[in-house]
Amino acid sequence: MLVLITYDVNTESNAGKTRLRKVAKQCVNHGQRVQNSVFECIMDYTQCRELQDILEKIIDKEKDSLRFYFLGNNYKSKIIHIGAKKSFDMEGPLII
Amino acid sequence: MLVLITYDVNTESNAGKTRLRKVAKQCVNHGQRVQNSVFECIMDYTQCRELQDILEKIIDKEKDSLRFYFLGNNYKSKIIHIGAKKSFDMEGPLII
């Protein structure tokens, strides 16, 4: 299924900048960055739960915001993209 | 239905900063800002199409990215939020 992860990390402090890097790094390991703080990840519920636990330990819940949107398996018709930074089909043929 | 709108606007130029303000202003008129560049909007397809046309005219398609995610009517179980900036239930009782 497709899980959309969006986040806002408060980067006013150096600690915040570190948290932002860590959150992005984890998300990059699990999916495709489609915008600065927006990732599309193909995962099952268990994988998502694991990533959620990891990210929860990284963020500062008083300052940072983390959102997961579950778009299911038939997600291609549920997304419209306009403009720069086109995303690629993570479940499409891998052309080398 | 719930439509999630996410965007990345290139603000390296003053024109970009203006585009960002305009995009945000339009989205605020149609829904709830849940993160800096993430909005949740309750709209039907016609309203969404209208907003999409407006935003398409604002952004620079070479530099900015605009994404729409359609989460349908039964969206409450499809969203997890962790941390700051709690969102409110746009279809819940209005308590004055």
Side-chain angles (χ1 to χ4, degrees), chain A residues 4 6-8 35-36 40 61 64-70 78-85 87, chain B residues 4 6-8 35-36 40 61 64-70 78-85 87:
Chain A
L4 187 75
T6 71
Y7 55 79
D8 261 1
Q35 288 174 349
N36 281 339
E40 291 181 3
K61 289 184 189 170
D64 308 332
S65 166
L66 191 57
R67 299 180 77 82
F68 294 77
Y69 295 92
F70 297 87
K78 296 177 183 173
I79 302 172
I80 291 176
H81 170 259
I82 299 167
K85 296 182 189 171
S87 55
Chain B
L4 187 75
T6 71
Y7 55 80
D8 261 2
Q35 288 174 349
N36 281 339
E40 292 181 5
K61 290 183 188 170
D64 309 332
S65 166
L66 191 57
R67 300 181 76 83
F68 294 77
Y69 295 91
F70 297 86
K78 298 177 183 172
I79 303 173
I80 290 177
H81 169 260
I82 298 168
K85 297 182 189 171
S87 55

Side-chain angles (χ1 to χ4, degrees), chain A residues 1-3 41-50 70:
Chain A
M1 88 186 147
L2 178 70
V3 180
C41 306
I42 303 288
M43 300 190 288
D44 59 34
Y45 275 103
T46 310
Q47 292 167 319
C48 186
R49 183 69 239 185
E50 283 164 9
F70 297 87

Side-chain angles (χ1 to χ4, degrees), chain B residues 41-56:
Chain B
C41 306
I42 303 288
M43 299 189 291
D44 60 32
Y45 275 103
T46 309
Q47 291 166 320
C48 186
R49 184 70 239 184
E50 285 164 7
L51 178 56
Q52 192 182 315
D53 289 345
I54 292 168
L55 295 179
E56 250 185 290

